[in-house]
Amino acid sequence: VQLQAYGGGLVEAGGSLRLSCAASGFTLSRVAIGWFRQAPGKEREGVSCISSSGGSTYYSDSVKGRFTISRDNAKNTVYLQMNSLKPEDTAVYYCAADFTLPFECTDIVGLYDYWGQGTQVTVSS
């Protein structure tokens, strides 16, 4: 089981990035996927998640209206489209898979079973 998050980079405030979370060793359509971020000196926080069917999604208040999560089960990939980026969005972004409750969606770090390695997002002011 492996998750790989990529697509991060350096962008100016107001810009956009699309993160991808690619899965190998399992079928992505059977799990819920969450995106989390961790800034230096801060705890890891839930940003967004999507249930296995895609019918349930969650966004934290800080990204609601700017970020969009989606999944392409045929490509075994989940995306996080990030628009109107702000300097406070700067962090390492991780994707994680929840095998236990795939039909729901949660921002609780401890409920996720497998984690990707993270991709750095830096937003300059």
Side-chain angles (χ1 to χ4, degrees):
V1 173
Q2 203 167 24
L3 289 170
Q4 183 177 6
Y6 59 94
L10 174 63
V11 64
E12 292 184 349
S16 299
L17 283 173
R18 188 177 78 160
L19 304 184
S20 299
C21 177
S24 60
F26 68 98
T27 302
L28 202 65
S29 61
R30 297 183 178 181
V31 303
I33 294 292
W35 281 100
F36 297 80
R37 67 186 181 188
Q38 189 165 19
K42 295 187 177 180
E43 292 187 354
R44 191 168 298 189
E45 63 170 347
V47 173
S48 180
C49 62
I50 187 167
S51 63
S52 56
S53 68
S56 176
T57 58
Y58 160 83
Y59 298 95
S60 66
D61 288 342
S62 61
V63 308
K64 199 172 295 182
R66 300 187 297 121
F67 291 10
T68 303
I69 192 170
S70 63
R71 62 191 308 150
D72 185 337
N73 289 336
K75 294 183 178 180
N76 230 27
T77 302
V78 169
Y79 304 99
L80 185 68
Q81 178 67 42
M82 306 187 297
N83 298 328
S84 303
L85 284 162
K86 304 175 181 180
E88 50 264 43
D89 294 319
T90 295
V92 178
Y93 284 70
Y94 301 88
C95 61
D98 176 6
F99 282 74
T100 306
L101 294 172
F103 306 114
E104 301 179 5
C105 192
T106 177
D107 64 339
I108 300 174
V109 171
L111 294 183
Y112 283 82
D113 305 293
Y114 292 95
W115 291 80
Q117 83 290 358
T119 184
Q120 176 71 45
V121 172
T122 303
V123 185
S124 62
S125 57

